[in-house]
Amino acid sequence: RAAKRLRDLFHEIHNKGAPHPWIRDDLWDQLVEFWRQEDFKKLKEVNKQNRASSTGGSLHTGGSTTYEATRDRMTVELGHTPTHSEVFERTHTRKEDQLWVDKRSADVNEAFLA
């Protein structure tokens, strides 16, 4: 939560263009210089395009749990190493009703199984 709050705070002060009271003047000058660099501007544009992508992102229900950790948990639960398809289904369906989280996930699974 703290990392998210800090990220949001930096985003806010970057957009506002004014330093927060806790940022020293010399550090503010360094931040402004960093934000003016061409590499930062390119990265910002790439991220903007990715967020606006019409293909959408990968919706999943695993949170920050890695694929390997999910597979390991399922191995204990199922008594065998789960297939890629089983792990994908576990991480892309809702726990309460076992429905796919989005149409794209269902389509990817269907194409994989075909």
Side-chain angles (χ1 to χ4, degrees):
R1 289 184 184 177
K4 182 181 184 319
R5 177 64 186 127
L6 186 61
R7 185 188 68 229
D8 292 346
L9 184 59
F10 273 107
H11 182 74
E12 178 185 321
I13 62 176
H14 178 247
N15 287 340
K16 189 176 177 183
H20 222 264
W22 57 267
I23 299 179
R24 296 187 333 232
D25 290 340
D26 60 319
L27 295 178
W28 175 252
D29 293 340
Q30 290 178 26
L31 276 172
V32 170
E33 181 58 35
F34 175 75
W35 290 331
R36 287 183 179 155
Q37 292 177 4
E38 203 56 39
D39 287 344
F40 177 79
K41 290 179 181 179
K42 287 179 185 176
L43 181 62
K44 185 178 173 183
E45 187 58 34
V46 166
N47 290 339
K48 181 179 178 182
Q49 289 175 2
N50 288 343
R51 286 190 305 272
S53 173
S54 62
T55 60
S58 174
L59 290 179
H60 62 89
T61 61
S64 61
T65 305
T66 64
Y67 173 88
E68 290 80 12
T70 300
R71 186 190 60 219
D72 292 345
R73 288 178 188 165
M74 289 179 69
T75 299
V76 171
E77 179 185 319
L78 299 174
H80 68 275
T81 302
T83 64
H84 290 293
S85 181
E86 289 174 317
V87 176
F88 184 83
E89 184 175 344
R90 170 71 58 93
T91 59
H92 290 79
T93 56
R94 294 184 184 92
K95 289 171 184 50
E96 58 273 2
D97 57 13
Q98 300 303 309
L99 295 175
W100 293 103
V101 292
D102 61 359
K103 182 176 179 344
R104 183 173 186 209
S105 296
D107 292 346
V108 166
N109 185 62
E110 186 176 318
F112 179 77
L113 292 176

